[in-house]
């Protein structure tokens, strides 16, 4: 997580440029909740809540973020979460097996 909560000064506008620049990154943690996405091939769909914990949020400069994140970007396959892990996540979040079954029947 980034340590600074201050927004860096705005960058000088670039004249006649087609580049886009960002000066800071805001990091937020959102709870995982039982979703309704019908494209999941098996097991419960998950999504994130609209609510987030402001106490665990932070802001840092792009340079600070890039220096702290783990090197290489993840592949598409590394974002796939197995059915049993998703099931554990929603049960740990307080959903019941009955609620999970109800969602699975509706999609």
């Amino acid at each position: 997580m980034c340590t600074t909560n201050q927004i860096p000064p705005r960058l000088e506008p670039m004249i006649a440029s087609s580049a886009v620049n960002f000066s800071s990154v805001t990091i937020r943690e959102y709870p995982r909740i039982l979703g309704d996405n019908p494209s999941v091939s098996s097991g419960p769909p998950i999504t994130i809540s609209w609510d987030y914990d402001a106490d665990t949020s932070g802001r840092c400069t792009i340079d600070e973020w890039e220096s702290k994140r783990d090197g290489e970007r993840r592949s598409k396959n590394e974002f796939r979460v197995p059915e049993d892990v998703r099931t554990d996540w929603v049960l740990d979040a307080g959903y019941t097996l009955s609620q999970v079954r109800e969602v699975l029947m509706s999609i």
Side-chain angles (χ1 to χ4, degrees):
M1 177 73 80
C2 301
T3 56
T4 169
N5 283 328
Q6 294 184 343
I7 301 172
R10 287 189 146 200
L11 298 175
E12 291 295 318
M14 300 177 97
I15 298 173
S17 173
S18 61
V20 175
N21 292 298
F22 297 93
S23 60
S24 65
V25 176
T26 301
I27 295 93
R28 295 178 175 169
E29 291 184 17
Y30 292 83
R32 294 180 199 112
I33 60 172
L34 189 57
D36 60 1
N37 188 335
S39 70
V40 72
S41 60
S42 65
I46 57 169
T47 190
I48 59 172
S49 171
W50 284 99
D51 301 321
Y52 65 93
D53 186 355
D55 294 335
T56 61
S57 296
R59 180 171 280 186
C60 61
T61 66
I62 294 290
D63 293 334
E64 192 177 9
W65 169 256
E66 289 294 333
S67 71
K68 290 183 181 196
R69 74 176 186 87
D70 295 332
E72 297 205 13
R73 304 210 182 261
R74 291 183 279 179
S75 70
K76 222 180 203 183
N77 282 338
E78 290 175 299
F79 283 100
R80 292 193 175 134
V81 180
E83 173 183 352
D84 59 326
V85 173
R86 282 183 277 119
T87 301
D88 288 345
W89 283 351
V90 295
L91 293 175
D92 289 345
Y95 292 94
T96 64
L97 280 175
S98 176
Q99 289 172 309
V100 172
R101 284 189 201 106
E102 186 178 322
V103 167
L104 290 174
M105 297 299 291
S106 70
I107 57 174

